[in-house]
């Protein structure tokens, strides 16, 4: 028997999803005696072990990080530090940093396994997407593994389901669904299947108060978050989508409010535009339908779209509750009866669960991976 392989986990991002993830790690990591937390950072500070045979405390990490005076290292500095150990490294990036995402190819090429919910890595520049994929296992057999389930469906198995369909030889024809927990919550309450629903501005305020929207709700209402998820899935099925500006993305931000100086100002002025959304709802109701904010990929037509669409009240998308997401995969194998993945699509705990599940897969794969540095 050889020496037990040691796995060191480094985590970027310790607020929001990162905090929930660390809470879950306090249960996960102790189950693997050969796995330890060695690095932790947020935007302005970091914490690392003095030597590689030490580990950070998952019980006192928040207090320890707050007391640290060490700045967060650059991606290159982090990579250089990783190079000082023979341990296997799993880097968990819980940030939304474009700079860190741009460094994934280097991490992967240097046999660092990457786990992340960071959509920017997979939905921004097409060339970056290709370099990330080309430098990850198995395309590069000497590289690190890559896991990004939570980049599309939070805790829902969207990425893995699509991979399973493709890798078993199915032909994906269309993907359609509600990809935003925020938008789901808004329209399920604004235009419910039963009942009248509330005013649009009131529902946006409720969503913000419930923690479903970004601090500035315009970051949800502009449709870009959904568009990023569509880019990721479209690229996975072979469409070379350059960016989120390469296809129609409907924004629900009134033109007059795009220049608001803050999210608070936006919410204050939004009631003046409620009539516009009421007309959209009424138009659908006249046909016995409801309106929902959806994303779709038509593979044959190479068409990607994000925006409002009317659905019969009996449609699965119309019947969503709360902040649930629903994604339908129409394939040659499944015919006219799509494979549907549905469930909670928003919230730190749920998103962190998706990252945590990827971490467990990474630990198992890295530990069992026979390679020579």
């Amino acid at each position: 028997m050889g020496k037990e392989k040691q796995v060191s986990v480094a985590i970027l991002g310790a607020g929001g999803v990162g905090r929930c993830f660390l809470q879950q790690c306090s249960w996960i990591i102790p189950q693997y005696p050969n796995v330890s937390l060695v690095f932790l950072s947020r935007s302005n500070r970091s914490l690392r072990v003095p030597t590689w045979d030490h580990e950070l405390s998952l019980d006192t990490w928040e207090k320890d990080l707050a007391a640290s005076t060490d700045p967060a290292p650059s991606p290159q500095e982090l990579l250089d530090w990783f190079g000082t150990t023979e341990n296997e490294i799993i880097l968990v990036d819980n940030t939304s940093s474009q700079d860190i995402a741009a460094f994934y190819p280097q991490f992967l090429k240097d046999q660092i396994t990457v786990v992340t919910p960071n959509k920017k890595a997979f939905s921004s520049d097409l060339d970056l997407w290709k370099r990330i994929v080309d430098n990850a296992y198995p395309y590069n057999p000497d590289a690190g593994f890559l896991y990004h389930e939570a980049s599309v469906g939070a805790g829902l198995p969207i990425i893995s389901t699509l991979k399973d369909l493709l890798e078993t030889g199915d032909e994906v024809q269309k993907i359609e669904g509600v990809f935003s927990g925020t938008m789901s919550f808004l329209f399920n309450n604004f235009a419910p299947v039963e009942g009248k629903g509330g005013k649009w501005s009131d529902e946006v305020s409720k969503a913000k108060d419930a923690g479903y929207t970004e601090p500035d709700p315009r970051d949800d209402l502009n449709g870009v978050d959904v568009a990023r998820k569509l880019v990721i899935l479209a690229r996975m099925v072979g469409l070379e989508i350059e960016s989120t500006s390469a296809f129609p993305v409907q924004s629900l931000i009134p033109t007059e409010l795009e220049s608001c100086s803050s999210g608070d100002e936006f919410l204050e002025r939004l009631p003046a535009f409620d009539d516009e959304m009421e007309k959209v709802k009424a138009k659908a109701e006249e046909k016995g339908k409801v309106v929902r904010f959806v994303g779709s990929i038509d593979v044959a037509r190479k068409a990607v779209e994000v925006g409002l669409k009317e659905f019969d009240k009996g449609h699965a998308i119309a019947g969503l509750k709360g902040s649930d997401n629903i994604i339908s995969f129409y394939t040659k194998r499944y015919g006219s009866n799509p494979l549907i993945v549905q469930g909670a699509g928003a919230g730190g705990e749920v998103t962190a669960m998706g990252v945590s599940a990827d971490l467990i897969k990474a630990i198992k794969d890295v530990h069992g991976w026979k390679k020579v540095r």
Side-chain angles (χ1 to χ4, degrees), residues 140-373:
N140 179 353
D142 296 319
F145 292 97
L146 173 66
Y147 307 85
H148 62 104
E149 184 73 74
S151 67
V152 172
L156 296 179
I158 306 303
I159 296 287
S160 54
T161 297
L162 181 54
K163 281 185 176 180
D164 287 346
L165 290 169
L166 296 172
E167 292 176 2
T168 57
D170 203 353
E171 180 183 320
V172 178
Q173 299 162 337
K174 182 180 179 181
I175 303 172
E176 181 178 60
V178 174
F179 289 85
S180 165
T182 302
M183 291 298 201
S184 180
F185 179 86
L186 284 173
F187 282 93
N188 293 340
N189 288 281
F190 169 66
V193 172
E194 301 291 339
K196 184 178 180 181
K199 291 183 179 180
W200 176 248
S201 59
D202 288 344
E203 298 305 331
V204 174
S205 293
K206 289 178 185 177
K208 183 178 185 299
D209 291 342
Y212 289 126
T213 73
E214 295 295 327
D216 187 335
R218 287 174 295 179
D219 292 336
D220 295 289
L221 298 178
N222 62 15
V224 174
D225 178 68
V226 175
R228 288 189 182 280
K229 296 172 183 178
L230 268 289
V231 169
I232 295 170
L233 297 181
R235 288 173 175 175
M236 288 181 65
V237 298
L239 303 185
E240 293 203 340
I241 306 298
E242 288 291 340
S243 68
T244 56
S245 60
F247 54 90
V249 179
Q250 183 177 2
S251 172
L252 301 186
I253 304 171
T255 303
E256 296 89 338
L257 302 187
E258 290 177 350
S259 60
C260 287
S261 60
S262 68
D264 289 340
E265 181 191 347
F266 170 75
L267 288 174
E268 288 175 5
R269 296 176 58 187
L270 187 59
F273 298 87
D274 279 343
D275 286 349
E276 294 182 12
M277 290 300 294
E278 284 296 329
K279 291 176 183 178
V280 172
K281 179 165 65 174
K283 182 180 177 182
E285 288 176 343
E286 288 174 2
K287 306 173 188 175
K289 299 184 177 185
V290 294
V291 64
R292 295 291 184 261
F293 195 86
V294 301
S296 65
I297 302 168
D298 187 316
V299 180
R301 294 195 300 116
K302 298 182 179 180
V304 182
E305 295 178 308
V306 173
L308 295 174
K309 187 175 179 180
E310 297 175 352
F311 291 91
D312 292 330
K313 292 185 177 182
H315 195 284
I317 287 178
L320 286 181
K321 303 296 182 183
S323 61
D324 277 8
N325 284 0
I326 183 170
I327 290 83
S328 300
F329 295 94
Y330 295 84
T331 76
K332 183 176 181 180
R333 187 178 293 154
Y334 280 84
S336 59
N337 188 25
L339 170 60
I340 294 176
V341 179
Q342 179 178 345
E349 290 286 349
V350 172
T351 304
M353 188 279 288
V355 183
S356 295
D358 274 351
L359 174 63
I360 292 171
K361 294 172 187 174
I363 289 171
K364 293 177 178 179
D365 283 343
V366 167
H367 187 263
W369 188 19
K370 304 301 182 183
K371 67 177 183 182
V372 178
R373 281 192 176 274

